[in-house]
Amino acid sequence: MTPTPSPNFDERAAPVSMIVLHYTGMPTAAAALDRLRDPVAKVSAHYCVDEDGTVQALVDEDKRAWHAGASHWRGVTDINSCSVGIELVNPGHEFGYRAFPPAQIDALVPLLAEIKDRHGVTRGNVVGHSDIAPTRKRDPGELFPWGRLARVRLALPRPTRNLLDPGWTGAGFLLALERFGYEVADPLAATMAFQRRFRPELIDGDIDAECRMILLALLLPKPQGDD
């Protein structure tokens, strides 16, 4: 891990209870690091993981990095105060979105495990930027290997077993989605964010039986999946 300090931080107003994963969404790692350290940009993260597995430490975990922006998860709106932010170098949807290399995820897994254990973060509070800001963000996106994290209990699995369709109406699904944690003021954006995270092969915003079954399973105490 390489110290690469960013001046963009302030004091936390709450203890850490979340971890937010992002992609940098810039053409190069160098450009992303420059922006994360630029005092004019006023953005930062605690860590940045390059595609070759190099980890840059930008902000101490006891400080509030500026990575979440306007966001919401499980009733919390000052997510910067209660989260650790990890940026993954990837050009993103704007500059040629691509799969995350194995070396990058190999470096992310132990980093994430240490942060999760250090702060007692639950699997349900390891989220993507799109989960907490569905109207604004798509990262880390549908190519991110959430299943790899789920297999080592660092994230919730995609439920695949004992699925039942509760038959919710669209409004009922949105109420359940809000209960799970999403902001649902924009129903289409919220549904697509849910699909991007838990059903990435089809992100169409339609509330179908598969979406209902996955969400119901996630609301149960122990969702069961192949991951």
Side-chain angles (χ1 to χ4, degrees):
M1 186 177 296
T2 305
T4 313
S6 170
N8 300 333
F9 64 87
D10 53 12
E11 298 301 318
R12 289 191 182 278
V16 173
S17 60
M18 295 177 58
I19 301 169
V20 182
L21 303 182
H22 308 255
Y23 63 43
T24 52
M26 300 190 72
T28 66
L33 284 170
D34 284 347
R35 180 169 173 78
L36 291 167
R37 302 174 68 200
D38 181 357
V40 176
K42 295 184 179 180
V43 294
S44 61
H46 294 91
Y47 301 98
C48 183
V49 184
D50 205 339
E51 291 181 298
D52 65 0
T54 303
V55 180
Q56 309 284 345
L58 291 95
V59 175
D60 289 343
E61 286 180 27
D62 64 346
K63 301 299 183 183
R64 179 180 180 271
W66 305 337
H67 59 96
S71 50
H72 174 282
W73 186 251
R74 295 183 171 175
V76 177
T77 54
D78 184 4
I79 289 179
N80 281 335
S81 272
C82 67
S83 67
V84 171
I86 302 175
E87 293 275 357
L88 298 156
V89 172
N90 187 295
H93 292 84
E94 186 176 355
F95 297 107
Y97 187 47
R98 57 186 179 234
F100 297 80
Q104 188 175 36
I105 305 305
D106 287 345
L108 172 65
V109 165
L111 173 65
L112 184 58
E114 290 169 6
I115 298 168
K116 185 176 180 295
D117 289 347
R118 187 156 48 242
H119 299 285
V121 177
T122 65
R123 290 189 297 165
N125 274 352
V126 178
V127 296
H129 201 183
S130 59
D131 294 316
I132 64 172
T135 61
R136 300 186 301 109
K137 298 295 181 179
R138 290 185 285 175
D139 57 312
E142 59 276 8
L143 298 180
F144 182 75
W146 286 104
R148 170 82 186 276
L149 302 188
R151 284 191 290 275
V152 290
R153 299 189 64 78
L154 295 178
L156 287 174
R158 171 181 177 164
T160 56
R161 304 179 206 161
N162 303 321
L163 299 181
L164 297 171
D165 184 356
W168 292 321
T169 63
F173 175 86
L174 292 171
L175 284 172
L177 193 60
E178 185 176 39
R179 179 182 174 190
F180 182 65
Y182 286 86
E183 168 60 61
V184 298
D186 185 325
L188 179 63
T191 301
M192 292 179 71
F194 174 77
Q195 292 171 336
R196 182 169 281 111
R197 169 68 178 82
F198 291 105
R199 210 270 305 273
E201 69 275 10
L202 180 58
I203 306 168
D204 58 5
D206 289 338
I207 299 169
D208 57 22
E210 187 175 36
C211 289
R212 294 192 297 267
M213 290 189 292
I214 290 172
L215 180 55
L216 174 63
L218 287 167
L219 289 168
L220 297 176
K222 293 183 179 180
Q224 298 182 48
D226 297 327
D227 297 322

